[in-house]
Amino acid sequence: MVSRDLCQDKKFPDLEDDFFITYDKKKRMSFIDEKNNVWMEGKKISEGGHGKVIDFISHNKEYTDLAVKFFISENREDYLLDMEEETEAVNFFNLYKCKNFLKMGVKAINNEDSIIIMEKIDGDLIHFDFSNYHEPNKVYNDIVDFIISSYKCALKGNKYYTDIKEENIGYKLCKDGPVFTFLDFGSFFDTDKTNIVSTYNINKDAFNKGLISNDLIVVFGTIITLLGLKLLMKSKRCNEKFKSFTSELSYNNNYYSSSPCLLDNKVASDIITYYYDLNKADEDPFTETLLDILFNLTSRQIFVSDFIEMLEFSGK
């Protein structure tokens, strides 16, 4: 069966086929599949400590353009570990066929090295412009629905998406509107994993010491992300100020909590106060739900599964 991209209007290559790598005189790489479809190296999309992503343009308009991740590390041991962990995550979620997950797969390029081949998308939410849409609230609700659906699918495999943030949610512009997807599959971890990655980690010192539960990290990070997107609907500047504020909070040495499962009362109160400082006119019931859940984290443990139900029945 032909695999199609998120928009369902272009084909994604069969990665079970052989892929041949060639180079032109300018040392640009190209992929050629068994059907003689060609993808030529384009621009670098991103680069970080663990890898770089480069786009590859399809010469056959029936096929989607690709984004290919090449792993990078200063030492071979870290390189192989990064490659192994992300490869396992990609293969795992391809088994579950989660809705709105990127079409992607792993391709070995020699006996030791693999790359991640993904369909190319149009950007991430930190660069998303809600003002381009007549009904921005509907688009926001589509993002919430995507997160709910994705978390449910991940839980089937006992996984959490721990590094939830605007930069890790991508979008692809389709005929019927934007479709949303996770970008960093290396941010999926087993629910009880002790060494996880999280940007919105509440308090860096406590997080590094393992004093904050995974459920609290995921619920807190999701709330902060969704509040940040509410502010992005207002202005990019408001979103940036909120992100900066929550980042500064994580470096506060005065973090107190009676349990790894509970949030420091002052952290919750400071975030709620600052949010309304930025968005005084926000009377949206869904925002109130998010802030209520945030405050409730100070007095009772909320599992990710319970949090998903709260979002589902919030009446967005």
Side-chain angles (χ1 to χ4, degrees):
M1 190 173 87
V2 175
S3 179
R4 295 196 173 272
D5 68 352
L6 286 170
C7 295
Q8 297 295 308
D9 59 4
K10 292 199 174 185
K11 299 176 184 177
F12 185 76
D14 185 352
L15 298 183
E16 295 297 320
D17 287 350
D18 286 332
F19 263 51
F20 305 95
I21 299 175
T22 64
Y23 295 88
D24 64 13
K25 293 179 181 179
K26 295 182 179 180
K27 296 185 178 181
R28 290 179 302 184
M29 182 187 296
S30 292
F31 295 116
I32 306 174
D33 70 6
E34 291 181 1
K35 303 175 184 66
N36 289 322
N37 294 307
V38 179
W39 289 265
M40 181 172 285
E41 180 179 345
K43 297 178 181 179
K44 182 166 65 178
I45 298 172
S46 63
E47 184 168 359
H50 299 283
K52 62 180 177 180
V53 179
I54 297 173
D55 70 358
F56 282 77
I57 309 304
S58 175
H59 282 212
N60 182 343
K61 297 306 178 185
E62 292 185 4
Y63 282 79
T64 184
D65 295 336
L66 303 176
V68 180
K69 180 170 183 177
F70 298 85
F71 292 93
I72 298 172
S73 187
E74 292 181 358
N75 66 74
R76 187 68 180 172
E77 184 177 344
D78 288 344
Y79 168 88
L80 292 173
L81 180 61
D82 291 340
M83 185 168 59
E84 179 185 359
E85 288 181 345
E86 192 151 349
T87 294
E88 286 180 358
V90 170
N91 288 334
F92 179 88
F93 282 101
N94 276 339
L95 289 176
Y96 281 87
K97 301 186 184 302
C98 298
K99 182 182 178 183
N100 284 9
F101 273 36
L102 275 175
K103 296 297 183 294
M104 57 167 36
V106 179
K107 197 70 181 172
I109 54 177
N110 55 45
N111 291 334
E112 293 186 338
D113 303 295
S114 295
I115 55 177
I116 307 292
I117 297 180
M118 307 164 273
E119 64 173 288
K120 185 183 176 185
I121 59 167
D122 292 301
D124 59 43
L125 287 187
I126 201 67
H127 300 105
F128 189 77
D129 191 350
F130 283 95
S131 68
N132 287 334
Y133 299 90
H134 295 300
E135 297 181 278
N137 285 320
K138 180 186 180 303
V139 176
Y140 180 88
N141 289 340
D142 288 343
I143 297 170
V144 177
D145 288 341
F146 158 71
I147 290 173
I148 291 170
S149 170
S150 299
Y151 279 10
K152 279 183 170 182
C153 191
L155 276 172
K156 291 178 183 177
N158 201 37
K159 300 281 186 183
Y160 284 162
Y161 193 77
T162 63
D163 198 17
I164 178 75
K165 56 183 177 179
E166 296 94 318
E167 296 90 331
N168 277 350
I169 302 176
Y171 66 89
K172 190 162 188 175
L173 301 175
C174 304
K175 288 182 296 185
D176 296 328
V179 175
F180 302 98
T181 185
F182 283 132
L183 297 181
D184 182 10
F185 274 60
S187 293
F188 281 105
F189 291 92
D190 289 342
T191 56
D192 58 356
K193 177 85 171 177
T194 55
N195 186 23
I196 63 171
V197 175
S198 177
T199 300
Y200 295 133
N201 53 38
I202 303 174
N203 180 270
K204 191 167 291 292
D205 184 56
F207 174 76
N208 289 336
K209 291 177 180 177
L211 300 178
I212 303 178
S213 74
N214 289 357
D215 284 272
L216 181 56
I217 286 290
V218 175
V219 174
F220 177 85
T222 307
I223 291 172
I224 297 303
T225 299
L226 291 174
L227 291 173
L229 290 172
K230 279 286 185 183
L231 292 168
L232 186 61
M233 293 170 69
K234 182 179 180 182
S235 77
K236 186 166 181 61
R237 178 63 178 152
C238 283
N239 173 270
E240 289 171 346
K241 290 176 75 172
F242 187 68
K243 286 173 68 69
S244 177
F245 178 80
T246 53
S247 176
E248 289 173 9
L249 272 184
S250 71
Y251 288 94
N252 191 332
N253 292 325
N254 299 316
Y255 181 81
Y256 300 102
S257 175
S258 60
S259 165
C261 303
L262 300 179
L263 182 64
D264 181 343
N265 185 79
K266 189 173 187 312
V267 170
S269 298
D270 286 351
I271 289 173
I272 293 168
T273 299
Y274 191 69
Y275 179 84
Y276 278 124
D277 284 344
L278 293 172
N279 203 10
K280 294 180 177 65
D282 190 351
E283 297 180 354
D284 178 37
F286 185 69
T287 300
E288 293 180 7
T289 296
L290 292 175
L291 295 175
D292 284 346
I293 296 171
L294 181 67
F295 191 75
N296 286 336
L297 287 171
T298 66
S299 58
R300 68 184 180 96
Q301 180 177 11
I302 298 177
F303 295 100
V304 172
S305 56
D306 296 328
F307 176 61
I308 293 170
E309 288 189 12
M310 293 175 185
L311 295 182
E312 273 193 298
F313 297 106
S314 62
K316 307 183 299 298

